[in-house]
Amino acid sequence: MAIAIDFGTSNTVIARWNQAIQQPETLKLPKLSLISAQNPPLIPSLLYVEDAIEGKIAIGQEVRDRGLDLNTDSRFFRNFKRGIGTSIQGFLPELDGQIVTFERIGQLFLNRIISSIRDLPLPIDSLVFTVPVDSFEAYRNWLGKVSASLQIEQVRMLDEPTAAALGYGLADREMLLVIDFGGGTLDISLVRLDNSAGKKPLGFILKWGEKLLAESSGQKAKIARVLAKAGQNLGGSDIDNWLVDYFFQSQGLVKSPLTTRLAERLKIQLSLQNKATEVYFNDETFDSYELGLDRNQFESILTEHNFFENLDECINQVLQQARRQGIEVDDIDAVLLVGGTVQIPAVQSWVKKYFDAAKIRCEKPFEAIAQGALQLSQGVEVKDFLYHSYGIRYWNRRDNCHSWHPLIKSGQAYPMSEPVELVLGASIENQPSIELIVGELGAETGGTEVYFDGDRLVTRQLSGSASVQALNDRDGARSIANLTPPGYPGSDRIKVLFRVDSQRFLRMTVEDLLTTQTLLEDKPVVQLS
């Protein structure tokens, strides 16, 4: 059975492919799923560590049912997805004598979900995880390690916006813009669906590894290609924190998990009505507060935090990338809104500033990603491009520090048809080898810091130069050429050819220009994003 997991910052959605009706359906897990009349079964992305050594945890709705999210407690985790793969994680709690990382919490969460699926019982022979478009390689590597520990034959990963485009099932449309706005991230992607086959193909099985399509099927695979994309660490959890800060400043409301939950309720109410109220009672001081908010006040709070400016910046990045390819706004056939934050009326009004209201779709904000990811097991082949730029580290003599030379630009399609060539020489006399450090180059910021502010998990952009994630800066991985005879400055010594294969692996071929020997032959160095 094929299963897809949309692991979200605020909520997690699980979908399975129902062979009987040939349609996706959202799974409800006993004790873990939140059941409501307005939304499909959602698993709150919450976790409480009862015993860190034994890995005993509570997750999802059972955390709320037991009231484990209402007190300031270092054993309670929310928004932990945002911390996975970040280079700066700030203070991490020590539980039962162990330092608990966000990666550990995320693995416990996913393992519990998969265990609960098997308890239904449902066999899992194919699993698709969705990942944020604006994630560094460390996040993908972490998810790969989690997958490797699972006894599941087929495991794949897919960008969340691409999955959303497939999940809406718009087989008669070609150019789709996906705005995925959840609890922790904003991801915007322009996706082109290949309609050359005339209808959505069925029966294709995508496998993890070299063999992708079942040979028994003669149908042509549908292709979903990402043409432009951009993302930010911005989401519903940030809005919840802003509301708590507002009531702290205006009414002296204490900042706690309970008040954060009340703020979230107010936000959800304002998606359905013009005014919202909640009552807070402090059982220690016996003070009570009536928290009231209308849409005008709510939108003012958003404006104060440059919310709409950040949205404008993100959409303009995507539209500029599209224009460089000759694609204008009028060429976009449909705009798909996914994620809980797109239900905010002010967000929908913002989208309408850029696009015709008739093109905007918002009927599957929670299920589109998970259900779309299932298309990987039903014959959709995804082609993509590299989201980040990649470069090599060198010593900048003028500034007396290490700098990075761009090698492969963001937007490079893969597999690459032509390799990138680089010629290097020795820097000292009798140099025995040449080392090369490859890095993933982020946006022009100082990176992202994730830390605890009391009980809250906060993500902050740091000012500075472009953020870089070194990919092979470890023993045994830096050296690319042993020089025999040794090298001397003043002449070119090796030629390096870089290419990216269909699985996003950066491969390297190294030739010794002096001896004409091939020192490395198409060796995989690292998997890119």
Side-chain angles (χ1 to χ4, degrees):
M1 176 177 294
I3 298 288
I5 298 179
D6 173 22
F7 171 31
T9 301
S10 297
N11 295 291
T12 295
V13 180
I14 305 168
R16 71 158 182 160
W17 188 261
N18 190 319
Q19 293 287 357
I21 61 175
Q22 286 292 300
Q23 291 291 331
E25 62 181 12
T26 303
L27 281 181
K28 177 179 68 175
L29 298 185
K31 298 182 180 180
L32 305 187
S33 297
L34 170 64
I35 307 301
S36 69
Q38 295 87 5
N39 297 320
L42 305 175
I43 300 175
S45 297
L46 307 174
L47 183 144
Y48 186 89
V49 179
E50 297 181 87
D51 191 314
I53 298 176
E54 296 183 2
K56 186 179 180 181
I57 59 172
I59 72 167
Q61 185 60 26
E62 66 180 350
V63 173
R64 287 181 172 170
D65 289 343
R66 295 169 57 184
L68 299 175
D69 61 332
L70 299 181
N71 299 311
T72 301
D73 190 337
S74 60
R75 293 182 176 272
F76 170 60
F77 292 84
R78 61 155 41 101
N79 302 330
F80 49 88
K81 179 186 175 184
R82 301 178 74 168
I84 294 172
T86 57
S87 57
I88 305 173
Q89 297 198 345
F91 169 78
L92 294 171
E94 181 176 341
L95 305 177
D96 305 319
Q98 294 186 355
I99 299 296
V100 181
T101 65
F102 298 123
E103 287 80 6
R104 173 63 174 159
I105 293 299
Q107 183 171 8
L108 289 171
F109 182 80
L110 291 179
N111 285 346
R112 173 68 187 280
I113 284 180
I114 292 171
S115 175
S116 297
I117 295 172
R118 285 176 165 150
D119 287 343
L120 285 178
L122 287 175
I124 306 175
D125 52 30
S126 177
L127 179 63
V128 183
F129 285 115
T130 59
V131 298
V133 68
D134 193 34
S135 61
F136 269 88
E137 189 65 22
Y139 181 88
R140 292 181 185 267
N141 287 341
W142 166 78
L143 194 51
K145 291 176 182 177
V146 172
S147 302
S149 66
L150 304 174
Q151 295 182 353
I152 299 174
E153 183 180 355
Q154 304 168 20
V155 180
R156 294 212 60 178
M157 304 180 198
L158 180 64
D159 277 346
E160 291 169 358
T162 302
L166 300 174
Y168 268 93
L170 296 178
D172 59 335
R173 309 294 174 90
E174 179 180 2
M175 196 75 66
L176 306 176
L177 185 83
V178 183
I179 300 178
D180 179 4
F181 207 175
T185 56
L186 166 64
D187 296 317
I188 304 179
S189 290
L190 183 64
V191 181
R192 171 179 283 154
L193 298 183
D194 179 14
N195 297 312
S196 59
K199 62 179 181 178
K200 184 179 73 172
L202 297 175
F204 289 100
I205 300 175
L206 290 173
K207 295 186 177 180
W208 183 252
E210 297 180 356
K211 187 176 181 181
L212 296 180
L213 297 178
E215 297 177 358
S216 59
S217 175
Q219 292 181 325
K220 178 183 176 182
K222 179 181 276 292
I223 295 172
R225 184 178 181 188
V226 182
L227 303 177
K229 53 188 174 182
Q232 290 190 9
N233 282 315
L234 177 67
S237 59
D238 296 291
I239 298 175
D240 298 341
N241 289 339
W242 298 341
L243 294 181
V244 171
D245 293 338
Y246 168 78
F247 287 113
F248 170 75
Q249 295 167 4
S250 61
Q251 295 182 230
L253 185 71
V254 63
K255 299 180 182 181
S256 71
L258 176 57
T259 54
T260 301
R261 188 166 168 181
L262 293 176
E264 182 184 17
R265 287 181 182 175
L266 287 171
K267 178 188 67 179
I268 293 172
Q269 288 181 45
L270 289 173
S271 295
L272 303 172
Q273 57 201 44
N274 289 321
K275 293 184 179 180
T277 59
E278 288 285 344
V279 176
Y280 169 70
F281 177 74
N282 189 323
D283 57 5
E284 294 181 358
T285 64
F286 302 106
D287 292 330
S288 63
Y289 301 86
E290 182 176 281
L291 309 180
L293 202 65
D294 60 36
R295 284 186 179 174
N296 290 333
Q297 293 172 305
F298 179 55
E299 292 179 16
S300 295
I301 294 171
L302 297 180
T303 301
E304 289 173 6
H305 288 85
N306 301 318
F307 179 74
F308 299 105
E309 290 183 14
N310 287 326
L311 300 190
D312 290 334
E313 179 183 351
C314 206
I315 191 65
N316 285 326
Q317 288 181 28
V318 172
L319 295 179
Q320 287 173 7
Q321 292 177 41
R323 291 189 187 102
R324 287 197 289 266
Q325 302 177 62
I327 302 169
E328 299 296 335
V329 171
D330 290 342
D331 297 325
I332 298 173
D333 298 317
V335 179
L336 314 182
L337 308 187
V338 296
T341 305
V342 302
Q343 296 183 311
I344 296 175
V347 172
Q348 296 185 11
S349 297
W350 169 80
V351 176
K352 292 175 183 176
K353 292 194 310 179
Y354 288 89
F355 306 100
D356 185 349
K359 294 184 177 182
I360 300 171
R361 301 278 295 273
C362 192
E363 67 266 28
K364 299 177 71 174
F366 293 106
E367 296 177 288
I369 291 179
Q371 293 188 0
L374 285 175
Q375 301 300 324
L376 279 186
S377 64
Q378 301 303 315
V380 177
E381 182 183 7
V382 178
K383 288 188 177 181
D384 205 346
F385 65 85
L386 298 175
Y387 181 61
H388 295 283
S389 298
Y390 296 87
I392 58 171
R393 195 173 74 178
Y394 71 96
W395 181 255
N396 188 329
R397 293 181 179 177
R398 184 179 66 180
D399 298 333
N400 199 35
C401 65
H402 281 114
S403 297
W404 292 86
H405 172 72
L407 187 69
I408 299 176
K409 299 289 188 179
S410 63
Q412 170 67 52
Y414 62 86
M416 292 173 57
S417 57
E418 297 292 335
V420 175
E421 181 178 315
L422 184 68
V423 177
L424 301 172
S427 57
I428 59 174
E429 294 189 2
N430 287 312
Q431 184 167 322
S433 63
I434 292 180
E435 293 185 347
L436 205 60
I437 296 177
V438 179
E440 185 175 46
L441 312 183
E444 292 296 325
T445 69
T448 301
E449 179 183 18
V450 180
Y451 61 96
F452 283 98
D453 177 12
D455 67 287
R456 297 191 301 181
L457 183 63
V458 180
T459 303
R460 182 178 67 176
Q461 297 293 329
L462 303 178
S463 60
S465 58
S467 57
V468 178
Q469 179 93 11
L471 301 178
N472 67 325
D473 189 11
R474 58 187 183 277
D475 292 341
R478 307 183 194 95
S479 180
I480 64 168
N482 292 319
L483 304 180
T484 305
Y488 288 86
S491 63
D492 297 333
R493 180 58 189 267
I494 64 171
K495 180 171 69 174
V496 188
L497 301 176
F498 298 91
R499 75 175 186 90
V500 181
D501 67 14
S502 60
Q503 298 298 317
R504 299 195 325 276
F505 277 102
L506 177 66
R507 292 181 174 271
M508 186 184 306
T509 297
V510 180
E511 300 177 10
D512 191 325
L513 298 176
L514 179 63
T515 65
T516 70
Q517 291 183 328
T518 299
L519 305 180
L520 290 178
E521 180 71 39
D522 205 34
K523 180 182 178 181
V525 179
V526 71
Q527 194 174 29
L528 308 180
S529 65

